Every structure is written in C-alpha cells, then in structure tokens.
Amino acid sequence: MIDLAHSQVWTWDARPFPEFPALGHVWSDGGNWRLGHWLTGRAGQSSLARIVADIAMRCGLDTLDVSRLDGLVAGHVLDRAQRGRDALARLGAVFGFDLVDRADGPAALPRAGTAATSLPTGALVRGAEGPVVSLSRSAASERVRELRLAHIGDDGDYSPASAYARGLDGTVDGLADLSLKVLADEGLARRWAGEALAGLLASGEQARLVLPPSAAAIEPGDIVMLEAAPDAGIWRLASLEGLAAREAGLETTLRRGPVLSGPDPEGAGEPVVAASRAVLRLLDLPLAPGEDDPRGGLWLAAHGEPWPGELVVFAGPDGASLTERARLTRRAVMGELTADLPPGFEGRWDRAGRVFVRLYRGTLSSTERLALLAGANRLAVETEAGWEVLQFLTASLQGDGSWVLSTLLRGLGGSAAPGAGAGARAVLLNGAGAVLPVAAHERGEPLLVRAVPAGRSLDDVAAAEVSAVHAGLDERPLKPVHLRQRPVVSGREFSWTRRTRRGGDAWSAGSVPLAEAGEAYQVRLYDEGGAERHAATVASAVFLLDSALEALLFPGGIAGARFEVAQLSETYGPGAAASLAL
C-alpha cells in the first residue's frame, strides 16, 4: 500500500555511532535504536541477497532467486580464488540458507520458515505394512554443544575475532567451527553464532519417505508439516530423488521469527584499546591426570573482551630478546573468588567446603562422580603458596550471576591447599590454553611474557604483558605419605610410602612407577624449637636413627622433635616434604 518509489531516506540525528545507542546512561532513547528510523551504523551496509546474487553472477549464474533472503552484511572479503559454490556455502552456513534447484530455476532459500505444507500420512506412498516413513536421530557423538564463529571484528582495526554460542545439552561436548571473513561487531557475531548453532541442533531429526505423483508441487527447500511425526515440529525438504514416486529426505528445522538486521553495538561505548587488551595467566602447575611427561613450561591461559580470535605469545628474559613461544585460539574461562576459601585437605572428598567465584565471562556446569575422577571440572585458584588445583562436582548459578562450587577435591597433583582470600584469581582448566615452553637455563629466572593479537606488532597498544617465574612444579616429586616410627634393637626406625607423579593409577601394578632417575630421599630432624639437628640422604623408604646418635642429638629426650622427609629429583631437587611429630 506504500509506493516505495516515493519514499525518502532522512535523519536529523547527529549523535555519534556507536556511542549512541551504546551509552544508555547518556541517551535514554538508546533502546529505540534497533527498531527506529536511525541510519547511523546502517547506511553503509549491503543486503545479504545482493551479495549472494553478485557472487552467483560473477560465476555466470545470473538467474539465482534471492528474493527470500533477509539480512544485512557490513563487509565481506573474498581474498583468494575459489569456487562460487564454496563461497556461498560458507555464507549459507552462517546465515542459514541453501542453494537448491527448483522448477523455475535455482534459488537461495532459508532453512527456517513459517509457511508450511501439510503432508498427511494418507498422502504418502504405502508399502506392505502402511506408509513408508523412516525416522532417525543423530547420534550423540555427532551432535555439537558449542559453535565458534571466526570473523573480522568491527572494532576499527578489523582484527580477527571469534564469537561463541553454547547449547544446553550436557551429554555432548562437540565443537563446530565456522570461519567467514565477514565484518561484525561482538553482539552481532554472537547472534549469528547462536542462530547457526540453533539450526545445527534443530537438524538432528531426519526422515525419509516416498512422495506420490500428486505431491509433484513439493520441491527441495520447501517447509512441510509431517503428520506421521507431529512432535518433531516442521521439516525442510533437503533432498528429492526419482521421477514419479520420489524419495524425499527431510530434516527438522526451526520456525522463523522476525529478523532484526544490522549491528548490535553492545558495549561499544568502552574504549577499544582497553577492551581488546588480553588478560594473561601463567600457571606453574603439577602434572594433570593423563600427562605422562613433564610439560616443560608454564600453562598459559588468556581472556579478552572482545576476544581477538588468536593471540601470539612471545617470551624472553627482557623485551629485546622476545621470541614466539605459543599461540592461543580459545578464550579461557576466568574469574575471581567472591569469598574466602578456607584451607583444604588432600585425598578425600570435601563435602563441607564451598568455592564462591564470579566469572569474567562463560559458564560452569556440574558433572558426574566418575567423570570428575577422570579429570573433569578442574579449577586453578591462586594462593600465597602458588596455584592450587581443585575439582568440583556441583556448580550452582546464583541470582547475582556468581557461582557456588561444592563437593570438592583439593590439592590435586600435590599442589598446596592453604586457602585463598576473596579476590583471588581462578582459571578453569578445560583445555582452553597452551604450554609456554621454558628452556632449562630459564627455569627459576624472571621471564617476560607478551601477547599480541595475530597480525599485530610487539609494540601494539593492545599487547598484554606479564612477568613470571617457572619453578618446574610439573617435575616436583610428590609428598611421601604414611610416615611411621617404631623402636628397634639398635635405635629408632622411620618408614614412609612414596608416591609418583606419573602412571600411579594402574591398580594391577605391584608398586607405582618411580618416575625419577633413581630413588633417593632427604631426611631431616628438628628439635622442639624448630632448629635443624640432623640431615641425611637415604636410597630407600627407611631411615634408621641409632640410639647413640639420638642421645647425642636430643640429650633431653626426643619428645617434641619433628621428622621430615622429601623425595629427591635429579632435575628438580627436593620435592614437597612430609613431617611427623615425635
């Protein structure tokens, strides 16, 4: 009813984009921007239909029907020679459309829709036992829980960026990767990633049936309702084979709601440089379950808002000797404690302890007991004695956005568990990190570490820099356990049970592997005042203190003294010590 030929484009709003509408505390009408008449941030964009038609035309296909495509694109780069179908397939994976051949020519059709043709069971070709309809569902191993969209960040520098979308299915742990050189701000890219993941999850149900000649009007790309499977929702005709009686392949799809096109300047009012600088965490950690060899460096994790897509990490004794050591492609889940964490104990379930943490971004989830014992839900918390590695069985989201973690295992891998105060830093050890290699001559020395987004120079304003020292805790022998003393004819005998950092979970073995070049222990005796009275090195888990030496060391009696033992390593030295009061 409106003649668009007589419509005019106009705006008198001179407020700068993206500060308006992002700064809601300055301009209260920012919420109206998404549906209003404002052209700031939109006038320079192109319709998705126009881009798809242009790519098809360059390949000689100038009859492609793109009338049903919706969406806006701020910028798209084709930086190499490639097939037109491949370029359109990547666009279709993000924007949710397919190229199909129809009676009136090729078309680009959305995978989701609203109008649907009903397919009653009685209209299908019947077999010996009734209508032939085969329903199937994708196996859990084929489904995805998370999707990552690599794109070009609309941050002024056009740096590589990634957006994530995460599903709610806790039984799968697959990651789907989409890469498209399309320009998008963080909010818009997250929306695209969410829509792409929803489309993947919706396509988990498939059906195969045979259409009779009376259904000749149904073509690939059509949206249909299947009476034989009413609970599955709507279906998209994905494939069609045959002439008279045609075999059709269907996939479940989403109903399509209203589309809001254009950028989403969420958080755009913050300074770009400050927002893009990464937060680095360098963790000197003991070996984790499954690590059979020392990692030879620090565990490196990073977080950034927005995430630049890839971080290149350099390290060296000083700024003039930095060399590339690692690359990070995934943003780590990090946060801070919101309440004190009391000291913990090692080797037993802690059902009373709680960890209160607020994440910078991301989520946590509960797990099952066996999955936890296999290494799930590991969290590193920074303490005065170094990083403690703990595990949690239950994660509860609170009303203020923080998390409460309970049913804990503390001090994993021999890490100290002295507790930590509110504000202590925490990192989820879920694989979103890398090893920063440290040479043997660099161990124990201050190391300068600098991370920059891929493609940036070392002196870029977005570079993040920290200093760290690698003590080699992945090679530190574990604390001996089960210390005992007993009187013998010649004096007093001390004994203990050694532990191992590697291969200690094989219950069929007679004794755990040594994991060292040779077996040796350092033993020490302290008097009641804490002064060292005797030190020795022994080659087995037994130390004999003869009566004459005991009388010489402790003329007033051994009561109140303390015995201490630590396993020795050729590469690390004395490991964590265990003590026994006498």
Side-chain angles (χ1 to χ4, degrees), residues 179-197:
S179 179
L180 182 66
K181 292 196 173 181
V182 63
L183 190 66
D185 57 60
E186 184 178 6
L188 184 59
R190 281 206 308 267
R191 192 182 79 199
W192 286 345
E195 292 172 351
L197 179 60

Side-chain angles (χ1 to χ4, degrees), residues 399-410:
D400 61 354
S402 64
W403 295 82
V404 178
L405 313 180
S406 57
T407 312
L408 311 174
L409 285 179
R410 303 281 303 270

Side-chain angles (χ1 to χ4, degrees), residues 134-175:
S134 174
L135 299 176
S136 61
R137 175 179 296 172
S138 299
S141 59
E142 300 175 1
R143 299 198 299 270
V144 298
R145 186 183 185 186
E146 187 174 8
L147 183 140
R148 176 173 58 195
L149 172 61
H151 60 285
I152 302 174
D154 193 0
D155 56 1
D157 293 328
Y158 305 115
S159 55
S162 293
Y164 290 83
R166 188 176 179 86
L168 300 177
D169 190 348
T171 63
V172 295
D173 196 24
L175 173 67

Side-chain angles (χ1 to χ4, degrees), residues 6-74:
H6 292 91
S7 63
Q8 303 295 324
V9 173
W10 68 276
T11 180
W12 294 102
D13 201 323
R15 288 176 286 187
F17 177 88
E19 284 75 11
F20 173 77
L23 298 181
H25 63 282
V26 178
W27 296 293
S28 60
D29 60 338
N32 298 335
W33 181 88
R34 290 182 59 83
L35 299 175
H37 68 276
W38 289 274
L39 300 178
T40 49
R42 303 178 185 179
Q45 301 188 70
S46 176
S47 68
L48 173 64
R50 185 175 180 180
I51 291 178
V52 172
D54 183 67
I55 294 175
M57 184 180 63
R58 290 169 183 265
C59 299
L61 183 62
D62 54 1
T63 59
L64 182 66
D65 180 11
V66 296
S67 60
R68 274 167 280 193
L69 294 184
D70 194 5
L72 291 178
V73 180

Side-chain angles (χ1 to χ4, degrees), residues 348-382:
R348 303 190 308 276
W349 290 103
D350 182 358
R351 305 187 190 279
R354 297 288 186 272
V355 180
F356 299 87
V357 62
R358 183 182 299 277
L359 302 179
Y360 302 145
R361 183 176 181 166
T363 60
L364 302 173
S365 60
S366 302
T367 189
E368 301 295 331
R369 181 175 179 272
L370 289 181
L372 182 138
L373 294 177
N377 281 0
R378 294 192 305 130
L379 184 74
V381 177
E382 192 173 27

